[in-house]
Amino acid sequence: MGSGGQGVRGAGWSRRGVVGALGAAASSVALAACGAERESDGPAAARTAAGPSRRADRTASGPRPVYLGTYTSASGGGSGIGLAVYDAGTGRITGRGTLTGVPDPSYLAVHPDGRTLYAVDEREDGAVSAVHLADRRVLGSRSTGGAAPCHLSVHPSGRWLLSANYGSGSVAVHPIDASGALGERADLVTHTSPAPGPAQQGPHAHQVVTSPDGGHVLAVDLGTDTVYTYRLDPRTGQLTEAARAATRPGTGPRHLTFHPGGRHAYLAGEVGNTVMVCGYDPESGRLTVGAPQSTGAESGTNYPAQFAVTSDGRFAFLANRGHNSVARFAVEAAGARLRLLGTTDVEGDFPRQIALSPDSRLLFAANQKSGTVSVFHVDGRTGDLRLAGAPFPSPVAVCALPL
């Protein structure tokens, strides 16, 4: 495990070409906001205290913003970050134009104070960009030190941006200043151990997220079949490995989402087409991976993508790419068990990412191949999904971030 310095760049790996590569791999093998308290000694903490709160916004009426990610370099892709609003009652999305100047913004995250939007620049020379939302001004970009960053998240302190370089299998940390802008990279950790399986073609960091207690940072690596747990130094931004959790060879873990109780998380295995319930120990940061379970997509080729869990912790949803569905799960035993309820047609092609509105009453699915965003009403009693209307057209839609 290396830390600091320059990351290992991917050898010509194209993230957008991962579907075909993983299809061959599968046949040959057979995302925020935690409620942790802010530190009071940093400028970002003061900025948050003075700024609007996403939690307070949950009951606000009127149009709500939703930001849409795309690939600007893909055929038929967008020209930047899609700007739109949605009606919290009907789920209807209305376009409001495009924010240009950010290349290949395939994943988006917002600062806990709601003032700054962050995007990956998913290119061979990876970068992350910051956008001031009040005037839609791009505050600049910083190198991630790796290739094809595909995920990012803001540490709950609001002082650090975490990003995952898929192409080079590394995790980067950038400081966030009082304006929301990013400073020079504080750390870079490359996943060199364990060795990737023959079908995974090297380490591929697919997600980096902070635990609900705020004590640890977890990085999910599809290539090494491992979830790494780190401690983040709150003053320097340095990462120190605390634990590792191995999945079965050929699982290809992609995305981890915590239950609100903070003791369990749900992991999507992209290559193996499975899901796993994980136990989490806040003291040590250790993750215990449970037995593989069904994604609800038993026939055909399927690559599960992303979990979303309702704010009350009663239901979990999973995006199934290939099966083109959202799997619905009842969460039982205080988060320790998932029970598959069924699947709902996503009404689009290849749901790359899903997200819940802050009140968990709406679910958004970004459908990459159909270039649409589907919105569903979530039944809070049964977990059923009901389409809110015709899917919203959005070029090469790979991320929807409703606020």
Side-chain angles (χ1 to χ4, degrees):
M1 185 67 58
S3 177
Q6 293 302 309
V8 180
R9 296 188 183 275
W13 181 269
S14 170
R15 176 66 188 130
R16 289 181 293 281
V18 70
V19 176
L22 286 179
S27 60
S28 66
V29 175
L31 232 206
C34 307
E37 292 296 323
R38 289 178 173 273
E39 294 187 10
S40 59
D41 58 346
R47 179 164 59 95
T48 300
S53 165
R54 287 193 70 198
R55 187 177 299 274
D57 283 345
R58 293 188 180 199
T59 58
S61 59
R64 306 287 301 143
V66 57
Y67 299 97
L68 306 173
T70 186
Y71 286 117
T72 58
S73 61
S75 175
S79 56
I81 298 171
L83 306 173
V85 296
Y86 68 96
D87 185 293
T90 67
R92 177 184 173 86
I93 296 178
T94 303
R96 290 287 188 265
T98 304
L99 190 151
T100 60
V102 180
D104 289 323
S106 66
Y107 204 89
L108 309 171
V110 71
H111 192 282
D113 69 9
R115 297 183 179 184
T116 310
L117 182 72
Y118 300 96
V120 298
D121 304 350
E122 192 175 329
R123 297 190 167 190
E124 185 66 20
D125 293 323
V128 282
S129 296
V131 178
H132 187 245
L133 289 177
D135 56 9
R136 299 176 180 175
R137 176 168 47 95
V138 178
L139 299 176
S141 301
R142 296 288 185 178
S143 169
T144 60
C150 64
H151 184 271
L152 80 175
S153 61
V154 184
H155 189 268
S157 68
R159 298 173 60 185
W160 304 102
L161 183 72
L162 313 165
S163 56
N165 289 309
Y166 182 88
S168 49
S170 58
V171 173
V173 183
H174 288 82
I176 299 174
D177 70 18
S179 71
L182 300 170
E184 290 290 347
R185 190 173 66 247
D187 201 8
L188 181 70
V189 176
T190 301
H191 300 152
T192 58
S193 174
Q200 267 107 323
Q201 303 174 345
H204 295 304
H206 215 305
Q207 183 200 25
V208 58
V209 65
T210 307
S211 59
D213 59 280
H216 296 92
V217 169
L218 292 91
V220 180
D221 196 298
L222 181 148
T224 62
D225 288 319
T226 301
V227 180
Y228 303 84
T229 298
Y230 299 99
R231 293 187 184 90
L232 174 70
D233 187 310
R235 298 195 178 278
T236 67
Q238 295 286 302
L239 294 171
T240 302
E241 185 175 322
R244 294 184 189 181
T247 64
R248 294 183 181 183
T251 295
R254 176 187 175 96
H255 195 277
L256 180 84
T257 300
F258 277 92
H259 183 269
R263 293 284 182 168
H264 299 90
Y266 312 115
L267 183 63
E270 175 175 338
V271 180
N273 187 27
T274 57
V275 299
M276 293 138 283
V277 177
C278 304
Y280 172 72
D281 176 28
E283 185 174 347
S284 66
R286 187 170 299 280
L287 199 72
T288 303
V289 180
Q293 297 180 215
S294 172
T295 63
E298 304 298 342
S299 61
T301 303
N302 183 62
Y303 306 107
Q306 182 164 3
F307 265 110
V309 182
T310 55
S311 54
D312 62 9
R314 295 185 59 194
F315 300 102
F317 303 98
L318 174 73
N320 279 323
R321 298 172 301 163
H323 193 253
N324 287 340
S325 66
V326 175
R328 309 184 314 278
F329 298 88
V331 179
E332 300 174 337
R337 186 166 61 241
L338 289 181
R339 177 168 55 88
L340 181 64
L341 298 174
T343 60
T344 299
D345 192 312
V346 80
E347 303 295 338
D349 191 357
F350 220 68
R352 168 74 175 267
Q353 178 260 2
I354 58 174
L356 290 161
S357 59
D359 61 9
S360 292
R361 294 180 180 179
L362 296 172
L363 182 140
F364 295 71
N367 305 308
Q368 180 174 356
K369 292 184 179 180
S370 58
T372 57
V373 177
S374 303
V375 184
F376 296 87
H377 294 283
V378 180
D379 190 311
R381 295 177 299 104
T382 66
D384 287 344
L385 299 176
R386 176 173 55 86
L387 191 65
F392 177 76
S394 182
V396 189
V398 290
C399 183
L401 178 62
L403 303 184

